[in-house]
PDB file of all heavy atoms in Angstrom:
ATOM      1  N   GLY O 159     136.749  46.750  81.296  1.00  0.00           N
ATOM      2  CA  GLY O 159     135.827  45.616  81.390  1.00  0.00           C
ATOM      3  C   GLY O 159     136.154  44.950  82.484  1.00  0.00           C
ATOM      4  O   GLY O 159     137.251  45.173  83.211  1.00  0.00           O
ATOM      5  N   ILE O 160     135.477  43.981  83.022  1.00  0.00           N
ATOM      6  CA  ILE O 160     135.807  43.113  84.153  1.00  0.00           C
ATOM      7  C   ILE O 160     137.063  42.389  83.888  1.00  0.00           C
ATOM      8  O   ILE O 160     137.251  41.589  82.958  1.00  0.00           O
ATOM      9  CB  ILE O 160     134.765  42.135  84.590  1.00  0.00           C
ATOM     10  CG1 ILE O 160     133.416  43.093  84.931  1.00  0.00           C
ATOM     11  CG2 ILE O 160     135.213  41.326  85.785  1.00  0.00           C
ATOM     12  CD1 ILE O 160     132.186  42.104  85.188  1.00  0.00           C
ATOM     13  N   GLY O 161     138.167  42.727  84.595  1.00  0.00           N
ATOM     14  CA  GLY O 161     139.486  42.096  84.374  1.00  0.00           C
ATOM     15  C   GLY O 161     140.253  42.506  83.255  1.00  0.00           C
ATOM     16  O   GLY O 161     141.299  41.892  82.876  1.00  0.00           O
ATOM     17  N   VAL O 162     139.728  43.578  82.633  1.00  0.00           N
ATOM     18  CA  VAL O 162     140.446  44.062  81.395  1.00  0.00           C
ATOM     19  C   VAL O 162     141.108  45.471  81.574  1.00  0.00           C
ATOM     20  O   VAL O 162     140.332  46.344  82.104  1.00  0.00           O
ATOM     21  CB  VAL O 162     139.461  44.181  80.174  1.00  0.00           C
ATOM     22  CG1 VAL O 162     139.910  44.827  78.958  1.00  0.00           C
ATOM     23  CG2 VAL O 162     138.660  42.914  79.958  1.00  0.00           C
ATOM     24  N   GLU O 163     142.347  45.634  81.189  1.00  0.00           N
ATOM     25  CA  GLU O 163     143.021  46.939  81.377  1.00  0.00           C
ATOM     26  C   GLU O 163     142.268  47.993  80.401  1.00  0.00           C
ATOM     27  O   GLU O 163     141.852  47.689  79.236  1.00  0.00           O
ATOM     28  CB  GLU O 163     144.424  46.773  80.925  1.00  0.00           C
ATOM     29  CG  GLU O 163     145.228  46.010  81.875  1.00  0.00           C
ATOM     30  CD  GLU O 163     145.365  46.614  83.306  1.00  0.00           C
ATOM     31  OE1 GLU O 163     145.548  47.834  83.401  1.00  0.00           O
ATOM     32  OE2 GLU O 163     145.168  45.858  84.289  1.00  0.00           O
ATOM     33  N   PRO O 164     142.350  49.301  80.799  1.00  0.00           N
ATOM     34  CA  PRO O 164     141.823  50.331  80.019  1.00  0.00           C
ATOM     35  C   PRO O 164     142.544  50.441  78.608  1.00  0.00           C
ATOM     36  O   PRO O 164     143.786  50.176  78.622  1.00  0.00           O
ATOM     37  CB  PRO O 164     142.036  51.649  80.686  1.00  0.00           C
ATOM     38  CG  PRO O 164     142.222  51.091  82.217  1.00  0.00           C
ATOM     39  CD  PRO O 164     142.757  49.709  82.091  1.00  0.00           C
ATOM     40  N   ASP O 165     141.753  50.679  77.578  1.00  0.00           N
ATOM     41  CA  ASP O 165     142.410  50.849  76.230  1.00  0.00           C
ATOM     42  C   ASP O 165     142.963  52.294  76.102  1.00  0.00           C
ATOM     43  O   ASP O 165     142.947  52.995  77.050  1.00  0.00           O
ATOM     44  CB  ASP O 165     141.581  50.536  75.164  1.00  0.00           C
ATOM     45  CG  ASP O 165     140.238  51.612  74.981  1.00  0.00           C
ATOM     46  OD1 ASP O 165     140.290  52.672  75.627  1.00  0.00           O
ATOM     47  OD2 ASP O 165     139.272  51.127  74.464  1.00  0.00           O
ATOM     48  N   GLU O 166     143.457  52.687  75.020  1.00  0.00           N
ATOM     49  CA  GLU O 166     144.061  53.908  74.961  1.00  0.00           C
ATOM     50  C   GLU O 166     143.206  55.146  75.113  1.00  0.00           C
ATOM     51  O   GLU O 166     143.778  56.023  75.864  1.00  0.00           O
ATOM     52  CB  GLU O 166     144.643  53.992  73.251  1.00  0.00           C
ATOM     53  CG  GLU O 166     145.463  55.401  73.000  1.00  0.00           C
ATOM     54  CD  GLU O 166     145.881  55.455  71.723  1.00  0.00           C
ATOM     55  OE1 GLU O 166     145.719  54.379  70.946  1.00  0.00           O
ATOM     56  OE2 GLU O 166     146.550  56.420  71.332  1.00  0.00           O
ATOM     57  N   VAL O 167     141.995  55.078  74.918  1.00  0.00           N
ATOM     58  CA  VAL O 167     141.096  56.294  75.091  1.00  0.00           C
ATOM     59  C   VAL O 167     140.701  56.145  76.550  1.00  0.00           C
ATOM     60  O   VAL O 167     140.712  57.127  77.317  1.00  0.00           O
ATOM     61  CB  VAL O 167     139.802  56.142  74.039  1.00  0.00           C
ATOM     62  CG1 VAL O 167     138.835  57.245  74.634  1.00  0.00           C
ATOM     63  CG2 VAL O 167     140.185  56.434  72.826  1.00  0.00           C
ATOM     64  N   GLN O 168     140.408  54.960  77.143  1.00  0.00           N
ATOM     65  CA  GLN O 168     139.903  54.771  78.468  1.00  0.00           C
ATOM     66  C   GLN O 168     141.010  55.154  79.510  1.00  0.00           C
ATOM     67  O   GLN O 168     140.718  55.519  80.608  1.00  0.00           O
ATOM     68  CB  GLN O 168     139.486  53.344  78.732  1.00  0.00           C
ATOM     69  CG  GLN O 168     138.316  52.963  77.957  1.00  0.00           C
ATOM     70  CD  GLN O 168     137.956  51.465  77.934  1.00  0.00           C
ATOM     71  OE1 GLN O 168     138.844  50.732  78.076  1.00  0.00           O
ATOM     72  NE2 GLN O 168     136.668  51.141  77.729  1.00  0.00           N
ATOM     73  N   GLN O 169     142.337  55.187  79.090  1.00  0.00           N
ATOM     74  CA  GLN O 169     143.353  55.768  80.013  1.00  0.00           C
ATOM     75  C   GLN O 169     143.117  57.046  80.341  1.00  0.00           C
ATOM     76  O   GLN O 169     143.550  57.521  81.470  1.00  0.00           O
ATOM     77  CB  GLN O 169     144.753  55.550  79.336  1.00  0.00           C
ATOM     78  CG  GLN O 169     145.164  54.103  79.091  1.00  0.00           C
ATOM     79  CD  GLN O 169     146.480  53.949  78.241  1.00  0.00           C
ATOM     80  OE1 GLN O 169     147.024  55.058  77.858  1.00  0.00           O
ATOM     81  NE2 GLN O 169     146.798  52.798  78.026  1.00  0.00           N
ATOM     82  N   ARG O 170     142.451  57.773  79.582  1.00  0.00           N
ATOM     83  CA  ARG O 170     142.103  59.242  79.949  1.00  0.00           C
ATOM     84  C   ARG O 170     141.149  59.342  81.149  1.00  0.00           C
ATOM     85  O   ARG O 170     141.026  60.342  81.761  1.00  0.00           O
ATOM     86  CB  ARG O 170     141.533  60.032  78.748  1.00  0.00           C
ATOM     87  CG  ARG O 170     142.327  60.166  77.551  1.00  0.00           C
ATOM     88  CD  ARG O 170     141.814  61.286  76.645  1.00  0.00           C
ATOM     89  NE  ARG O 170     141.826  62.523  77.220  1.00  0.00           N
ATOM     90  CZ  ARG O 170     141.365  63.755  76.504  1.00  0.00           C
ATOM     91  NH1 ARG O 170     140.896  63.613  75.343  1.00  0.00           N
ATOM     92  NH2 ARG O 170     141.436  64.892  77.185  1.00  0.00           N
ATOM     93  N   PHE O 171     140.376  58.276  81.311  1.00  0.00           N
ATOM     94  CA  PHE O 171     139.348  58.228  82.268  1.00  0.00           C
ATOM     95  C   PHE O 171     139.890  57.739  83.626  1.00  0.00           C
ATOM     96  O   PHE O 171     139.228  57.982  84.665  1.00  0.00           O
ATOM     97  CB  PHE O 171     138.271  57.276  81.961  1.00  0.00           C
ATOM     98  CG  PHE O 171     137.653  57.385  80.488  1.00  0.00           C
ATOM     99  CD1 PHE O 171     137.050  56.386  79.908  1.00  0.00           C
ATOM    100  CD2 PHE O 171     137.766  58.584  79.880  1.00  0.00           C
ATOM    101  CE1 PHE O 171     136.489  56.514  78.663  1.00  0.00           C
ATOM    102  CE2 PHE O 171     137.391  58.751  78.614  1.00  0.00           C
ATOM    103  CZ  PHE O 171     136.618  57.694  77.892  1.00  0.00           C
ATOM    104  N   SER O 172     140.983  56.941  83.685  1.00  0.00           N
ATOM    105  CA  SER O 172     141.412  56.165  84.729  1.00  0.00           C
ATOM    106  C   SER O 172     142.455  57.023  85.699  1.00  0.00           C
ATOM    107  O   SER O 172     143.319  57.573  85.154  1.00  0.00           O
ATOM    108  CB  SER O 172     142.055  54.987  84.427  1.00  0.00           C
ATOM    109  OG  SER O 172     142.467  54.203  85.532  1.00  0.00           O
ATOM    110  N   ASP O 173     142.249  56.896  86.999  1.00  0.00           N
ATOM    111  CA  ASP O 173     143.200  57.401  87.985  1.00  0.00           C
ATOM    112  C   ASP O 173     144.104  56.257  88.573  1.00  0.00           C
ATOM    113  O   ASP O 173     144.932  56.617  89.360  1.00  0.00           O
ATOM    114  CB  ASP O 173     142.481  58.124  89.122  1.00  0.00           C
ATOM    115  CG  ASP O 173     141.891  59.403  88.696  1.00  0.00           C
ATOM    116  OD1 ASP O 173     142.615  60.353  88.520  1.00  0.00           O
ATOM    117  OD2 ASP O 173     140.481  59.452  88.732  1.00  0.00           O
ATOM    118  N   GLY O 174     143.927  55.011  88.043  1.00  0.00           N
ATOM    119  CA  GLY O 174     144.733  54.018  88.467  1.00  0.00           C
ATOM    120  C   GLY O 174     144.191  53.196  89.593  1.00  0.00           C
ATOM    121  O   GLY O 174     144.356  52.010  89.764  1.00  0.00           O
ATOM    122  N   SER O 175     143.536  53.901  90.603  1.00  0.00           N
ATOM    123  CA  SER O 175     142.878  53.248  91.746  1.00  0.00           C
ATOM    124  C   SER O 175     141.882  54.149  92.289  1.00  0.00           C
ATOM    125  O   SER O 175     141.791  55.326  92.000  1.00  0.00           O
ATOM    126  CB  SER O 175     144.012  52.907  92.778  1.00  0.00           C
ATOM    127  OG  SER O 175     144.458  54.043  93.407  1.00  0.00           O
ATOM    128  N   ALA O 176     141.009  53.570  93.057  1.00  0.00           N
ATOM    129  CA  ALA O 176     139.991  54.378  93.838  1.00  0.00           C
ATOM    130  C   ALA O 176     140.628  55.258  94.769  1.00  0.00           C
ATOM    131  O   ALA O 176     140.035  56.482  94.846  1.00  0.00           O
ATOM    132  CB  ALA O 176     139.037  53.457  94.455  1.00  0.00           C
ATOM    133  N   GLU O 177     141.690  54.974  95.348  1.00  0.00           N
ATOM    134  CA  GLU O 177     142.426  55.735  96.286  1.00  0.00           C
ATOM    135  C   GLU O 177     142.927  56.975  95.564  1.00  0.00           C
ATOM    136  O   GLU O 177     142.769  58.269  96.059  1.00  0.00           O
ATOM    137  CB  GLU O 177     143.547  55.096  96.952  1.00  0.00           C
ATOM    138  CG  GLU O 177     144.315  55.860  97.995  1.00  0.00           C
ATOM    139  CD  GLU O 177     145.405  55.059  98.653  1.00  0.00           C
ATOM    140  OE1 GLU O 177     145.661  53.908  98.287  1.00  0.00           O
ATOM    141  OE2 GLU O 177     146.042  55.731  99.453  1.00  0.00           O
ATOM    142  N   ASN O 178     143.510  56.900  94.397  1.00  0.00           N
ATOM    143  CA  ASN O 178     144.065  57.993  93.639  1.00  0.00           C
ATOM    144  C   ASN O 178     142.933  58.791  93.144  1.00  0.00           C
ATOM    145  O   ASN O 178     143.077  60.061  93.211  1.00  0.00           O
ATOM    146  CB  ASN O 178     144.749  57.538  92.523  1.00  0.00           C
ATOM    147  CG  ASN O 178     146.074  56.905  92.808  1.00  0.00           C
ATOM    148  OD1 ASN O 178     146.655  57.112  93.913  1.00  0.00           O
ATOM    149  ND2 ASN O 178     146.753  56.067  91.986  1.00  0.00           N
ATOM    150  N   TRP O 179     141.784  58.198  92.776  1.00  0.00           N
ATOM    151  CA  TRP O 179     140.661  59.027  92.314  1.00  0.00           C
ATOM    152  C   TRP O 179     140.073  59.931  93.407  1.00  0.00           C
ATOM    153  O   TRP O 179     139.808  61.111  93.284  1.00  0.00           O
ATOM    154  CB  TRP O 179     139.560  57.957  91.890  1.00  0.00           C
ATOM    155  CG  TRP O 179     138.134  58.586  91.784  1.00  0.00           C
ATOM    156  CD1 TRP O 179     137.669  59.298  90.738  1.00  0.00           C
ATOM    157  CD2 TRP O 179     137.021  58.696  92.777  1.00  0.00           C
ATOM    158  NE1 TRP O 179     136.367  59.823  91.003  1.00  0.00           N
ATOM    159  CE2 TRP O 179     135.994  59.453  92.244  1.00  0.00           C
ATOM    160  CE3 TRP O 179     137.021  58.221  94.162  1.00  0.00           C
ATOM    161  CZ2 TRP O 179     134.799  59.689  92.923  1.00  0.00           C
ATOM    162  CZ3 TRP O 179     135.880  58.448  94.780  1.00  0.00           C
ATOM    163  CH2 TRP O 179     134.772  59.251  94.220  1.00  0.00           C
ATOM    164  N   ALA O 180     139.966  59.327  94.659  1.00  0.00           N
ATOM    165  CA  ALA O 180     139.420  60.174  95.788  1.00  0.00           C
ATOM    166  C   ALA O 180     140.365  61.237  96.125  1.00  0.00           C
ATOM    167  O   ALA O 180     139.832  62.379  96.564  1.00  0.00           O
ATOM    168  CB  ALA O 180     139.315  59.143  97.094  1.00  0.00           C
ATOM    169  N   ARG O 181     141.745  60.958  96.130  1.00  0.00           N
ATOM    170  CA  ARG O 181     142.662  62.125  96.369  1.00  0.00           C
ATOM    171  C   ARG O 181     142.512  63.225  95.321  1.00  0.00           C
ATOM    172  O   ARG O 181     142.580  64.389  95.752  1.00  0.00           O
ATOM    173  CB  ARG O 181     144.097  61.495  96.295  1.00  0.00           C
ATOM    174  CG  ARG O 181     145.146  62.423  96.736  1.00  0.00           C
ATOM    175  CD  ARG O 181     146.588  61.890  96.749  1.00  0.00           C
ATOM    176  NE  ARG O 181     146.650  60.701  97.536  1.00  0.00           N
ATOM    177  CZ  ARG O 181     146.839  59.470  97.077  1.00  0.00           C
ATOM    178  NH1 ARG O 181     146.854  59.225  95.789  1.00  0.00           N
ATOM    179  NH2 ARG O 181     146.813  58.413  98.028  1.00  0.00           N
ATOM    180  N   ARG O 182     142.313  62.968  94.102  1.00  0.00           N
ATOM    181  CA  ARG O 182     142.089  63.970  93.047  1.00  0.00           C
ATOM    182  C   ARG O 182     140.854  64.735  93.310  1.00  0.00           C
ATOM    183  O   ARG O 182     140.904  65.981  93.350  1.00  0.00           O
ATOM    184  CB  ARG O 182     142.127  63.528  91.655  1.00  0.00           C
ATOM    185  CG  ARG O 182     141.940  64.410  90.517  1.00  0.00           C
ATOM    186  CD  ARG O 182     141.906  63.865  89.209  1.00  0.00           C
ATOM    187  NE  ARG O 182     140.930  62.720  89.088  1.00  0.00           N
ATOM    188  CZ  ARG O 182     139.593  62.906  88.986  1.00  0.00           C
ATOM    189  NH1 ARG O 182     139.088  64.125  89.077  1.00  0.00           N
ATOM    190  NH2 ARG O 182     138.889  61.832  88.854  1.00  0.00           N
ATOM    191  N   VAL O 183     139.815  64.062  93.477  1.00  0.00           N
ATOM    192  CA  VAL O 183     138.370  64.723  93.808  1.00  0.00           C
ATOM    193  C   VAL O 183     138.576  65.636  94.902  1.00  0.00           C
ATOM    194  O   VAL O 183     137.802  66.680  94.958  1.00  0.00           O
ATOM    195  CB  VAL O 183     137.381  63.588  93.907  1.00  0.00           C
ATOM    196  CG1 VAL O 183     136.018  64.296  94.194  1.00  0.00           C
ATOM    197  CG2 VAL O 183     137.203  62.781  92.599  1.00  0.00           C
ATOM    198  N   ALA O 184     139.270  65.156  95.999  1.00  0.00           N
ATOM    199  CA  ALA O 184     139.204  65.970  97.165  1.00  0.00           C
ATOM    200  C   ALA O 184     139.856  67.352  96.970  1.00  0.00           C
ATOM    201  O   ALA O 184     139.701  68.343  97.743  1.00  0.00           O
ATOM    202  CB  ALA O 184     140.158  65.295  98.307  1.00  0.00           C
ATOM    203  N   GLY O 185     140.546  67.537  95.824  1.00  0.00           N
ATOM    204  CA  GLY O 185     141.240  68.774  95.485  1.00  0.00           C
ATOM    205  C   GLY O 185     140.194  69.792  94.887  1.00  0.00           C
ATOM    206  O   GLY O 185     140.618  70.907  94.631  1.00  0.00           O
TER     207      GLY O 185
END
Side-chain angles (χ1 to χ4, degrees):
I160 298 174
V162 179
E163 291 296 314
D165 65 21
E166 183 177 356
V167 175
Q168 291 166 339
Q169 288 172 3
R170 296 194 69 178
F171 310 158
S172 177
D173 290 290
S175 70
E177 182 180 0
N178 290 341
W179 166 84
R181 186 179 302 113
R182 177 181 54 74
V183 174

